[in-house]
């Protein structure tokens, strides 16, 4: 009996020690989990802290770049001299390079563009009868600009045929912007689209709106036809589209000192004179010894039979500008794009987006 009692007591002691061991293992496992969770949270907090610091630093860099750009543009406007890329705003990229060389672990790059180097879509619309003739002249330029882009993207026809189809789109653009009534055929077409999107009756505010417009004379029901129209508008195969030459800000005048080659080509009525005219303008502007004052281009216009535009359509100064900035903090990059107009005392950014 005593032997049995001893064996029972031993088994009981072993059971208690086993229970304690299991409890200890549970506690150790729990501590390990807590330690891992704490380590993970610590690493996560560190990562978030690093990211937050990076975002904050990038934001401060972009803000500083925007303030510097505003200072440069205000000073430029105060000078009241012709605007061209040889001015201080045109050398803004080099200024940022010098500043970035003084930064530790950060970089700020970017450039300023003349917004009046683009074709002003808003100039196609008018509110007062006195503005109608000006809008009509801008419409003729738009048609020639679009036709040139169409030919560039493989339009099946000559330039004259392209101009006719471009005129059809111009008519649709006017309906979209409320400058012309919506005809019944166009109304039926818009109602048949999914989702339905009728013309808003005001000038387009986003480039995406051009993709929603009807283009009479072209097949928009066929997938290949829609793809080609999209390519003409947005660009593709390494070629620029129409929207790359447009601005939705301001109403002109365009700046002959900075006007993009495609828009320069739109000034020419005779297709045979386009290449020679654009090259002559580019050669004169690129020569740093030439002054780009009022009327410097008159002789070139006359030599290539290009109609002279009034001062409210073509000028040598600008008040609208576009700013591009990229702030790099470690592996992180943030970008800013802004468009605004300038006075002698302040810069008013009308559009501003940070990515």
């Amino acid at each position: 009996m005593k032997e049995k009692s001893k064996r029972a007591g031993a088994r009981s002691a072993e059971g208690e020690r086993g229970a304690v061991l299991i409890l200890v293992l549970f506690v150790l496992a729990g501590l390990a989990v807590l330690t891992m969770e704490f380590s993970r949270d610590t690493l996560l907090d560190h990562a978030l802290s690093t990211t937050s610091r990076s975002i904050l630093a990038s934001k401060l860099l972009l803000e500083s770049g925007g303030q510097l750009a505003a200072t440069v543009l205000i000073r430029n406007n105060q000078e009241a001299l012709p605007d061209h890329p040889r001015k201080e705003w045109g050398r803004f990229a080099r200024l940022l390079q010098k500043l970035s060389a003084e930064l530790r672990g950060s970089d700020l790059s970017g450039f300023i563009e003349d917004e009046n180097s683009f074709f002003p879509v808003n100039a196609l619309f008018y509110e007062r009868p006195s503005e109608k003739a000006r809008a009509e002249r801008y419409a003729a330029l738009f048609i020639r600009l679009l036709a040139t882009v169409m030919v560039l993207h493989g339009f099946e026809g000559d330039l004259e045929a392209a101009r006719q189809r471009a005129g059809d789109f111009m008519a649709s653009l006017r309906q979209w912007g409320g400058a012309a009534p919506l005809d019944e055929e166009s109304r039926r077409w818009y109602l048949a689209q999914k989702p339905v999107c009728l013309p808003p009756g005001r000038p387009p505010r986003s480039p995406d709106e051009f993709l929603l417009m009807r283009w009479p004379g072209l097949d928009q029901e066929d997938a290949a036809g829609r793809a080609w129209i999209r390519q003409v508008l947005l660009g593709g195969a390494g070629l620029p589209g129409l929207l790359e030459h447009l601005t939705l800000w301001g109403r002109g005048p365009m700046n002959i000192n900075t006007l993009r080659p495609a828009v320069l080509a739109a000034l020419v009525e005779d297709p045979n004179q386009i290449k020679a005219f654009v090259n002559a303008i580019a050669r004169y502007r690129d020569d740093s010894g030439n002054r780009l004052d009022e009327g410097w281009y008159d002789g070139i216009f006359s030599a290539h039979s290009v109609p002279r535009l009034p001062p409210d359509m073509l000028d040598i100064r600008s008040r609208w500008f576009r700013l591009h900035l990229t702030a790099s903090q470690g592996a992180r990059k943030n970008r800013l794009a802004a468009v605004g107009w300038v006075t002698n005392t302040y810069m008013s950014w009308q559009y501003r987006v940070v990515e």
Side-chain angles (χ1 to χ4, degrees), residues 297-315:
Y297 49 89
D298 287 346
I300 299 177
F301 274 57
S302 298
H304 298 87
S305 303
V306 177
R308 176 71 185 272
L309 296 176
D312 64 346
M313 292 185 66
L314 200 63
D315 199 3

Side-chain angles (χ1 to χ4, degrees), residues 22-36:
I22 293 174
L23 181 60
V24 169
L25 289 175
F26 270 116
V27 171
L28 290 175
L31 289 174
V33 171
L34 288 174
T35 301
M36 291 175 63

